[in-house]
């Protein structure tokens, strides 16, 4: 099933009421909830109390963690749907972070050639990134999101209700994607996000900032749903970020995805300065903010070759041996499909280490 319909985005902290309204409108023959072992314990009770539909839905609980985002877990979801009377008019509510919304969305997209689903992200990273945009899938054969489909949820219910259950590192991980969106959007979005040193992630004000950030992604995705051009803007920070993430994992010192993206943003802004004249003052301010909130990754000159080799295998590359980046001429002025040579990347990594005092 390949679905590109516009997603309904609902921003509210009354999640139970929003689900009830959707169920009343959609009238599914049967409702299923997919949650992982963590969200089933911490988040599901928050909405069961206010939603009869959720309380009475059939629960499919999967193990928590990226290592379980695989074909075996997916098959288990299909078996639960099949064995508990899911017809083509059934519906699924995916309650969880990116692993749950990616895998639950793919399970719904492929079961009986597609049943409706709603995403209720419980992490900031999931809310601002994975739950919106129609990408679904599982990891396969050692590769992240190797099997999947573009299929939009009927609705995405975005809330700060669940963020109190998250450790600070998880909140900051999602905040990095918001920083990325603000740099892509331009205007005063970036300055408003970085104005306060103490972000209240559960406030009504933060829900408005989150809404603004999610709409940046939504507007881009609607113009380029299958990532043929403009959607590549959303890769800002991710070529170097994925390399940092993979490198750290190989060292036995894994880092949160959002931390790696934050550091990757600095590398991309350095390349943007070197290639396109991105303002040095904004670059230095961003580096200072990221160092203060995300710390440093302990790379040395001897690690450059390994990092560059990882970048060569990034799935965003064109396949001609070049390494692709999304860069900025200034906040709000995106330039996709830029390339950088190994020498340019090494120079950017040198400056990156200077800026973060590594």
């Amino acid at each position: 099933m390949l679905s590109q319909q516009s997603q309904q985005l609902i921003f509210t902290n009354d999640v139970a009421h929003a689900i009830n309204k959707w169920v009343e409108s959609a009238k599914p023959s049967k409702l299923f909830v997919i949650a992982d072992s963590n969200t089933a314990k911490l988040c599901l009770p928050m909405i069961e109390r206010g939603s009869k539909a959720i309380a009475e839905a059939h629960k499919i609980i999967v193990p928590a963690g990226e290592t379980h985002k695989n074909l075996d877990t997916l098959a288990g979801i299909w078996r639960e749907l099949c064995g508990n009377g899911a017809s083509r008019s059934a519906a699924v509510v995916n309650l969880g972070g990116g692993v749950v919304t990616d895998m639950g969305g793919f399970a719904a997209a492929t079961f009986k050639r597609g049943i409706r689903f709603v995403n209720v992200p419980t992490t900031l990273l999931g809310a601002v990134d994975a739950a919106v945009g129609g990408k679904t899938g599982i990891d396969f054969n050692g590769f992240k999101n190797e099997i999947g489909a573009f299929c939009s949820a009927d609705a995405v219910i975005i809330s700060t209700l669940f963020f109190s259950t998250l450790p600070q590192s998880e909140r900051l991980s999602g905040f990095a994607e918001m920083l990325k969106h603000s740099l892509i959007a331009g205007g005063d979005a970036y300055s408003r996000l970085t104005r306060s040193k103490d972000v209240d992630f559960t406030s009504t004000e933060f829900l408005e900032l989150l809404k603004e950030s999610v709409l940046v992604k939504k507007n881009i995705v609607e113009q380029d749903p299958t990532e043929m051009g403009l959607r590549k803007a959303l890769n800002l920070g991710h070529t170097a970020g994925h390399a940092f993430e993979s490198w750290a994992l190989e060292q036995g010192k894994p880092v949160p995805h959002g931390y790696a993206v934050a550091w990757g943003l600095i590398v991309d802004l350095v390349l943007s300065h070197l290639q396109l004249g991105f303002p040095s003052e904004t670059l230095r301010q961003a580096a200072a903010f990221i160092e203060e909130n995300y710390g440093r990754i302990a790379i040395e000159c001897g690690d450059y070759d390994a990092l560059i080799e990882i970048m060569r295998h990034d799935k965003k590359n064109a396949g001609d041996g070049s390494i692709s980046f999304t860069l900025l001429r200034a906040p709000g002025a995106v330039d996709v499909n830029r390339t950088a040579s190994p020498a340019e990347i090494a120079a950017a990594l040198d400056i990156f280490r200077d800026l973060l005092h590594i």
Side-chain angles (χ1 to χ4, degrees):
M1 177 181 178
L2 185 64
S3 173
Q4 303 299 350
Q5 76 269 21
S6 178
Q7 289 181 323
Q8 180 187 11
L9 299 184
I10 303 167
F11 297 87
T12 178
N13 281 335
D14 193 346
V15 176
H17 178 69
I19 291 174
N20 288 340
K21 284 191 66 176
W22 184 84
V23 170
E24 288 171 10
S25 173
K27 294 180 173 58
S29 58
K30 189 164 187 177
L31 189 67
F32 293 79
V33 174
I34 299 175
D36 68 27
S37 53
N38 290 332
T39 54
K41 178 181 178 181
L42 298 173
C43 303
L44 187 56
M46 292 184 180
I47 54 175
E48 278 186 314
R49 289 188 291 267
S51 173
K52 183 180 179 182
I54 293 296
E56 295 179 351
H58 181 83
K59 314 302 191 300
I60 301 175
I61 311 302
V62 300
E66 185 78 29
T67 57
H68 298 288
K69 185 181 166 184
N70 57 35
L71 189 57
D72 288 340
T73 309
L74 176 67
I77 295 172
W78 284 331
R79 281 192 291 269
E80 287 265 7
L81 292 170
C82 192
N84 289 279
S87 67
R88 289 200 69 185
S89 57
V92 166
V93 173
N94 296 312
L95 179 72
V99 170
V100 170
T101 57
D102 277 2
M103 183 164 52
F106 187 54
T110 49
F111 186 76
K112 295 188 182 294
R113 296 197 177 96
I115 61 176
R116 292 166 295 178
F117 66 97
V118 172
N119 286 337
V120 183
T122 57
T123 66
L124 178 53
L125 183 59
V128 79
D129 186 32
V132 177
K135 286 185 177 180
T136 70
I138 58 168
D139 303 339
F140 183 73
N141 202 29
F143 296 98
K144 189 170 181 176
N145 298 322
E146 184 76 352
I147 307 296
F150 287 99
C151 185
S152 294
D154 270 40
V156 182
I157 301 171
I158 295 175
S159 165
T160 64
L161 176 66
F162 309 108
F163 296 167
S164 62
T165 68
L166 303 174
Q168 183 72 352
S169 61
E170 286 295 319
R171 301 182 204 183
L172 283 170
S173 195
F175 193 73
E177 292 286 347
M178 294 178 68
L179 290 175
K180 178 195 76 174
H181 289 163
S182 71
L183 286 164
I184 292 169
D188 67 346
Y190 174 77
S191 63
R192 283 188 288 108
L193 272 187
T194 57
R195 188 173 298 150
S196 173
K197 290 185 178 181
D198 298 311
V199 180
D200 182 355
F201 288 94
T202 61
S203 67
T204 302
E205 179 185 3
F206 188 75
L207 183 60
E208 286 302 311
L209 292 173
L210 179 55
K211 178 179 180 179
E212 183 177 313
S213 183
V214 171
L215 290 178
V216 171
K217 179 173 183 178
K218 178 178 184 287
N219 291 337
I220 290 173
V221 168
E222 285 183 346
Q223 294 177 68
D224 181 19
T226 56
E227 202 169 53
M228 301 303 292
L230 178 62
R231 186 166 179 164
K232 294 178 182 179
L234 298 172
N235 293 328
L236 182 69
H238 281 65
T239 299
H242 283 159
F244 287 144
E245 192 175 7
S246 297
W247 177 84
L249 192 61
E250 289 174 1
Q251 304 302 307
K253 299 177 180 178
V255 297
H257 172 74
Y259 281 58
V261 169
W263 297 322
L265 284 174
I266 300 305
V267 175
D268 281 8
L269 295 184
V270 170
L271 285 170
S272 297
H273 175 68
L274 296 174
Q275 291 193 9
L276 302 171
F278 184 87
S280 59
E281 182 179 348
T282 307
L283 166 58
R284 291 184 180 280
Q285 193 276 336
F289 181 87
I290 286 171
E291 181 184 11
E292 180 177 355
N293 288 279
Y294 297 90
R296 309 173 183 89
I297 183 168
I299 62 167
E300 300 176 353
C301 295
D303 299 315
Y304 291 2
D305 286 346
L307 288 165
I308 291 169
E309 186 61 25
I310 295 170
M311 293 182 204
R312 289 187 193 279
H313 291 276
D314 194 289
K315 63 178 178 289
K316 298 183 291 295
N317 293 330
D320 58 0
S322 62
I323 300 175
S324 297
F325 293 85
T326 292
L327 303 181
L328 299 174
R329 297 181 182 276
V334 183
D335 202 330
V336 301
N337 294 328
R338 300 290 306 190
T339 61
S341 68
E344 288 176 305
I345 297 170
L349 290 171
D350 278 338
I351 298 171
F352 167 81
R353 290 174 63 229
D354 286 342
L355 288 168
L356 267 62
H357 306 96
I358 298 172

